[in-house]
Amino acid sequence: MRTTTELGPGQLAAGHRETPPAVGPSPEHVATAENFAVPGFDAVVRLLTRSLGVPLVALVLNSGAAYWFADGNELPADGPRSLHPLFLQAARSLASHVVLDALIDDRLRDAALPLTAGPGPIRFFASEPVCTLTGQHIGALCVMDPQPRAELSESEQSALRDAASLIGTGVVLRSYLGRTDPITQLPHRYAFFDDLRKHLQEGVPHAWVIAVDVAPVQRFNAFIRAMGHAYADELMRAVAARTLEWVPPETRLYQVGATRFAAVLPDHHLLDDTTRLDDLVARLRRPFDCLGIPLTIQPGVGLLKINASELRGGDPLRLVMNASFAAQQSPRGWAVYNRMQDEQQRQEFLLVTELAAALNDRTELDLHYQPRVDLDTGRCVALEALARWHHPTLGNIPPAHFVALAERAGLMHSLTQWVMEHSIAQLATWHRDGHDIKLSLNVSSSDLDADLVGRLRDVAERHKIGLDSLELEFTESTLMEHSAVTRRHLTAIRQLGAGIAIDDFGTGYSNLAALRQMPATSLKIDQSFVRGMGTSPHDEAIVRSVAQLARNMGFRVVVEGVETSSIYESVLGMACDEAQGFHIAHPMHARDVPAWLAAHQGMPSRRAVRWSE
Ligand code: C2E
Ligand code: CA
Ligand code: CA
């Protein structure tokens, strides 16, 4: 039976700081041929054992890991327990090494030999450096025999060289790279999973997984574009080294992503004293001196408490990444995994994907229209387009929810474009059918750029709609956000002839002077005050005085949220120009609008009130 085993680097490099002090939760770290197949390695070493007549071959990586091959049944199932320093010396040098007889050669004399069982103490040892195709030195291929040799013939030397170069040029490299990061030499994600599993199987009730994220991905990519890969590699090595100074001596550090490290902490009371975590963050926030250039990173330290049953079928790295991602944005710099937050983010992510799809396929999205009535005439003068999303399984998703989602996910431009296209096309149809009405559209803060003017003009021209038939509604807070730039864009919109409404007025913190400078045409008093008018004299007073003030400032005043006839009657007596609300009409499907307009001969109006007096 052949056995291929991997020896944990800690056994080779105990106390050595050049390679990570990689004593993991499970120092044995032995992989058998079944769970760690290196088919290329097997084939090459089989050829080697035949041509050199040696029973034992090892690939020793300069990180300290070793892969063993024993032809026959000699290798104990749990692998060799100790390894002579000569192996590591060979793995880290570019020269070949030959010890013909350990009994007469100083280098193997102290005989802390690699095998505690099997063919007995090693007398013959030879090694050849292994380099990859790109010239990276990854370790040494070693052959051993309990029999001493008198010499190593030319052909034996060249067989060993050929085998080393075969291994270096590819076959083993793949699996080597799969387990050890070529830049930091830290063990990889798979090793992390193996070790975490073993750790939890050892009867520990739970473990803490800690992840260190170096920087947000976009920032790291920008950094590579500016500084190059060599600098980025150096930075990762520096971050790894600083993290290693912090982790307890018995803890192994893994590189689990391009810019992410993880470790399994033996401490079950990690949160009892959080100064240790603060200390890690402080260390990572100190500038790094990389190739002479100082750089500050934006680290995030994530923590996850996990037990064996949670590990089954779970993805601990995804969970802990969630925490480290949140930590990057937090002043404290570290965060514990929060299941509720994670669930929310997952749902949000799924929903964003679906919203993007809905924006493309256009059958789930729809528009409803709500009439705005002129209080002087009682006639409908405009319709406000309100987006609707009917999700096939989740049902109707409220616009307040998906609009905010689109805003966060950068989908607002597409959503607004969709709304403009559809509502303006619809308005063109109504105009052709003889309905003299305007259209108001809701626009959000991320829409408000130089592009918006062009987009609006484009769509309107295509549907032959005059811009004076359109009004854009911006919330009060949007308008107050960046007043100088905002004012410029709004002025451009006004110059095209479109109206501008300040939506939800009263919910923000407008400064009246700034408000007066806004080139807005109308002001919509927020429905929260209007709805309260029936029960609160206070709200009634607010609406009355805000309406008066707004009118004095030259705005057309619109009250929204008019739910009852008594509120409607009240606003008739105020300085209000238009009303909108469930009492007049609920938002409705486009196909119901013509019938509503026809049936609706006009709401009570000031004129009607005057006439009836
Ligand atoms: P909004 O612009 O203030 O729209 C008015 C909201 O109040 C609408 O809710 C409307 O259905 C509701 N409403 C109208 N009259 C009454 C009433 O008398 N009583 C009550 N209780 N509610 C009334 P909806 O359609 O759920 O929209 C919510 C918000 O979502 C809108 O508030 C707007 O900010 C946003 N939104 C909707 N469609 C779009 C869109 O196409 N683009 C953008 N950017 N935002 C949109
Ligand atoms: Ca609105
Ligand atoms: Ca509103």
Side-chain angles (χ1 to χ4, degrees):
M1 195 188 90
R2 280 187 293 109
T3 321
T4 306
T5 62
E6 181 197 350
L7 184 66
Q11 289 148 288
L12 272 174
H16 216 288
R17 284 315 267 201
E18 271 171 50
T19 56
V23 181
S26 164
E28 292 320 317
H29 197 73
V30 169
T32 60
E34 286 72 46
N35 68 19
F36 186 67
V38 193
F41 180 59
D42 282 3
V44 172
V45 294
R46 215 175 301 121
L47 278 171
L48 194 59
T49 52
R50 297 213 179 121
S51 51
L52 263 76
V54 289
L56 200 58
V57 176
L59 171 66
V60 183
L61 304 176
N62 50 21
S63 67
Y67 301 94
W68 289 83
F69 180 95
D71 204 2
N73 204 7
E74 306 90 346
L75 208 62
D78 58 350
R81 294 210 162 266
S82 64
L83 201 59
H84 194 281
L86 179 60
F87 284 77
L88 194 65
Q89 199 188 325
R92 293 192 174 159
S93 101
L94 279 166
S96 330
H97 294 253
V98 181
V99 174
L100 293 171
D101 186 351
L103 292 184
I104 53 168
D105 190 309
D106 271 357
R107 286 171 292 174
L108 276 175
R109 179 158 302 156
D110 55 354
L113 295 173
L115 292 184
T116 53
I122 284 168
R123 300 273 297 272
F124 166 71
F125 171 93
S127 74
E128 190 61 35
V130 175
C131 295
T132 67
L133 267 180
T134 53
Q136 192 187 1
H137 177 213
I138 62 169
L141 185 63
C142 308
V143 290
M144 288 140 281
D145 197 334
Q147 303 301 322
R149 300 249 168 147
E151 60 155 16
L152 195 61
S153 73
E154 276 285 329
S155 72
E156 286 171 332
Q157 279 175 31
S158 71
L160 183 57
R161 258 197 313 274
D162 288 349
S165 89
L166 265 178
I167 283 174
T169 45
V171 272
V172 170
L173 180 66
R174 222 179 10 200
S175 59
Y176 158 66
L177 287 180
R179 294 185 82 82
T180 313
D181 186 86
I183 294 151
T184 57
Q185 298 291 316
L186 290 176
H188 246 204
R189 213 168 61 205
Y190 302 116
F192 165 81
F193 283 122
D194 276 357
D195 289 348
L196 178 61
R197 205 172 303 120
K198 277 180 208 146
H199 188 59
L200 289 171
Q201 276 164 2
E202 276 162 12
V204 214
H206 51 248
W208 280 100
V209 173
I210 184 166
V212 172
D213 250 303
V214 171
V217 178
Q218 294 97 322
R219 193 168 155 196
F220 196 74
N221 288 343
F223 166 73
I224 291 180
R225 280 199 301 277
M227 306 300 293
H229 279 93
Y231 191 90
D233 292 353
E234 191 55 35
L235 174 67
M236 289 309 291
R237 277 191 285 263
V239 177
R242 224 177 254 185
T243 311
L244 274 168
E245 285 166 12
W246 180 86
V247 295
E250 290 295 288
T251 302
R252 211 169 168 186
L253 187 69
Y254 305 81
Q255 174 135 23
V256 294
T259 56
R260 187 171 305 123
F261 303 102
V264 181
L265 295 182
D267 185 358
H268 297 159
H269 305 284
L270 191 67
L271 294 182
D272 292 353
D273 178 12
T274 56
T275 52
R276 277 184 58 205
L277 294 166
D278 296 334
D279 172 47
L280 174 60
V281 172
R283 284 164 187 259
L284 294 171
R285 281 182 177 165
R286 279 204 321 264
F288 285 87
D289 186 358
C290 254
L291 306 174
I293 304 169
L295 181 90
T296 313
I297 60 170
Q298 191 186 333
V301 174
L303 296 154
L304 168 76
K305 196 176 181 179
I306 188 167
N307 62 32
S309 69
E310 286 162 341
L311 187 62
R312 236 164 283 129
D315 184 352
L317 282 182
R318 186 191 76 74
L319 305 186
V320 75
M321 223 174 99
N322 236 276
S324 57
F325 181 74
Q328 274 178 341
Q329 329 289 328
S330 86
R332 202 169 55 174
W334 59 267
V336 181
Y337 170 74
N338 175 327
R339 194 168 302 278
M340 245 170 62
Q341 204 178 355
D342 178 25
E343 226 11 82
Q344 247 170 16
Q345 279 170 2
R346 257 160 92 99
Q347 271 177 9
E348 173 155 334
F349 176 79
L350 293 177
L351 217 54
V352 165
T353 320
E354 313 240 299
L355 180 58
L359 279 165
N360 279 325
D361 109 331
R362 298 170 184 202
T363 57
E364 292 172 23
L365 285 178
D366 200 2
L367 285 171
H368 278 192
Y369 296 88
Q370 189 179 30
R372 281 167 52 169
V373 162
D374 182 305
L375 291 171
D376 274 338
T377 62
R379 301 192 68 82
C380 172
V381 283
L383 291 156
E384 177 179 0
L386 293 160
R388 297 288 177 260
W389 181 16
H390 185 81
H391 188 278
T393 53
L394 298 172
N396 290 327
I397 298 174
H401 186 169
F402 71 81
V403 165
L405 197 69
E407 187 95 62
R408 284 198 294 274
L411 289 172
M412 208 56 225
H413 258 62
S414 323
L415 179 62
T416 302
Q417 188 68 30
W418 185 90
V419 172
M420 286 193 319
E421 289 283 351
H422 286 249
S423 59
I424 292 175
Q426 182 60 60
L427 182 68
T429 309
W430 287 326
H431 279 188
R432 276 197 298 276
D433 294 344
H435 299 292
D436 179 22
I437 37 171
K438 294 186 177 188
L439 175 73
S440 60
L441 297 165
N442 291 285
V443 188
S444 90
S445 61
S446 54
D447 287 310
L448 194 57
D449 53 20
D451 204 28
L452 179 65
V453 184
R455 292 200 289 156
L456 187 67
R457 195 182 39 212
D458 247 35
V459 183
E461 269 173 16
R462 222 169 330 113
H463 296 285
K464 302 193 170 54
I465 287 291
L467 274 122
D468 55 354
S469 291
L470 303 176
E471 183 172 75
L472 298 186
E473 298 190 4
F474 294 93
T475 59
E476 179 192 4
S477 37
T478 299
L479 291 188
M480 296 304 145
E481 259 166 35
H482 315 280
S483 39
V485 190
T486 304
R487 216 175 315 135
R488 217 175 41 240
H489 297 320
L490 294 180
T491 308
I493 293 170
R494 281 295 301 128
Q495 279 164 355
L496 288 177
I500 290 167
I502 303 170
D503 203 355
D504 301 345
F505 184 78
T507 55
Y509 300 92
S510 297
N511 144 346
L512 285 179
L515 190 65
R516 202 166 46 193
Q517 287 175 6
M518 280 298 157
T521 36
S522 27
L523 184 143
K524 296 180 85 171
I525 300 178
D526 190 65
Q527 41 180 287
S528 55
F529 304 107
V530 181
R531 285 205 307 268
M533 278 170 63
T535 48
S536 153
H538 189 64
D539 280 347
E540 162 130 18
I542 290 179
V543 175
R544 184 180 297 279
S545 46
V546 168
Q548 193 59 58
L549 187 75
R551 180 172 284 169
N552 292 348
M553 287 168 87
F555 297 118
R556 190 172 163 79
V557 180
V558 184
V559 275
E560 50 176 9
V562 176
E563 289 185 350
T564 64
S565 57
S566 75
I567 294 177
Y568 186 87
E569 300 294 336
S570 307
V571 298
L572 272 181
M574 297 180 185
C576 302
D577 301 286
E578 277 179 43
Q580 189 181 17
F582 293 169
H583 172 64
I584 302 159
H586 282 258
M588 63 188 99
H589 198 276
R591 69 173 109 73
D592 301 326
V593 168
W596 184 86
L597 288 173
H600 190 82
Q601 296 305 318
M603 293 291 292
S605 63
R606 294 202 181 97
R607 255 173 237 163
V609 174
R610 249 177 262 126
W611 288 338
S612 64
E613 274 163 0

